[in-house]
Amino acid sequence: MLKGQKIFLLPIERHDIITLNEWIKKGLGFSLISPSSLFALNLDELENWYNSLIYNPKIRVFVIRNIEHKTPIGLVELNNIDWKNRNAEIGIFIAYENLRNKGFGSDTLEVIINYAFNELNLFKLYAKIAEDNYPSIKLFEKFNFKKEAVLRKNIFKNNKYIDLLIYGLLKEEFSLNNSKQ
C-alpha cells in the first residue's frame, strides 16, 4: 500500500472492475486518465483489460482510496514503462467531481511520483494532457512538470480537433522541488 495524507493507493484487483464499470456508465470522464485508456468499455472488455495487466511489466494501475472513508475515488497509472530508458507515462483520474480540487489529486500525484522515482528507480515521467484540461495542466505544473511538446490537433473532442500536450518531469526536478517544500 502506498499512503499519502488524504489517500492511499492499492494495486487494482479484479473486484475493482465493477466500480470502474459504474464510473463509465455514469459518464464520469474516464478517458481523462489518458487518451488511450478505458474510453467506454463494457464489463467484458474491462475484464479483458484487467487480465492484460496481471503479468504486464510495463504498467502499474492503482485504485485511489480516500483515507477517511476507504472508498475508491479514482485511478492512477504508470503506463508504457520503459525499463531500459527508465521512463513512464503517468495518468490520474478522480472519479467524482465534488472531490476534485480538494487535494486528492495533489496527494495522489506526490505519492505516485515518489513511488516511480524512489521505488521503481525511474528517471523521467511524462503525461499526455488535452489542451482544454486546465485542472490537469495546473496539477502537473504544480509538481514542476514542464511542457515538452504539442501534438497539434491530435484529439477529436466535441466535434473539433484539439491539441495534446506532453508534459515531462525528471527525477532531479522532483527532488529539487521536494527539497524546497
Side-chain angles (χ1 to χ4, degrees), residues 127-141:
K128 297 176 181 176
I129 307 171
E131 70 175 328
D132 63 349
N133 189 345
Y134 305 112
S136 285
I137 291 169
K138 183 178 173 185
L139 175 64
F140 281 87
E141 286 179 348

Side-chain angles (χ1 to χ4, degrees), residues 17-18 20 45 87 106 130 134 144 159 161 166:
I17 65 173
I18 302 300
L20 305 186
E45 291 166 327
N87 63 63
S106 293
Y134 305 112
N144 217 21
N159 291 321
Y161 286 95
I166 309 295

Side-chain angles (χ1 to χ4, degrees), residues 156-169:
F156 190 71
K157 182 178 176 184
N158 298 327
N159 291 321
K160 67 178 183 174
Y161 286 95
I162 62 171
D163 295 344
L164 180 65
L165 310 177
I166 309 295
Y167 276 79
L169 177 70

Side-chain angles (χ1 to χ4, degrees), residues 117-180:
F117 288 150
N118 298 320
E119 300 292 323
L120 300 182
N121 196 30
L122 296 179
F123 177 74
K124 179 180 181 176
L125 296 174
Y126 61 92
K128 297 176 181 176
I129 307 171
E131 70 175 328
D132 63 349
N133 189 345
Y134 305 112
S136 285
I137 291 169
K138 183 178 173 185
L139 175 64
F140 281 87
E141 286 179 348
K142 174 182 175 181
F143 282 90
N144 217 21
F145 278 75
K146 307 284 187 241
K147 187 180 353 177
E148 296 185 341
V150 176
L151 301 179
R152 298 177 308 131
K153 309 296 182 205
N154 200 67
I155 299 171
F156 190 71
K157 182 178 176 184
N158 298 327
N159 291 321
K160 67 178 183 174
Y161 286 95
I162 62 171
D163 295 344
L164 180 65
L165 310 177
I166 309 295
Y167 276 79
L169 177 70
L170 305 178
K171 183 176 186 174
E172 65 227 27
E173 294 167 337
F174 180 69
S175 299
L176 182 66
N177 194 40
N178 268 2
S179 66
K180 291 179 190 173

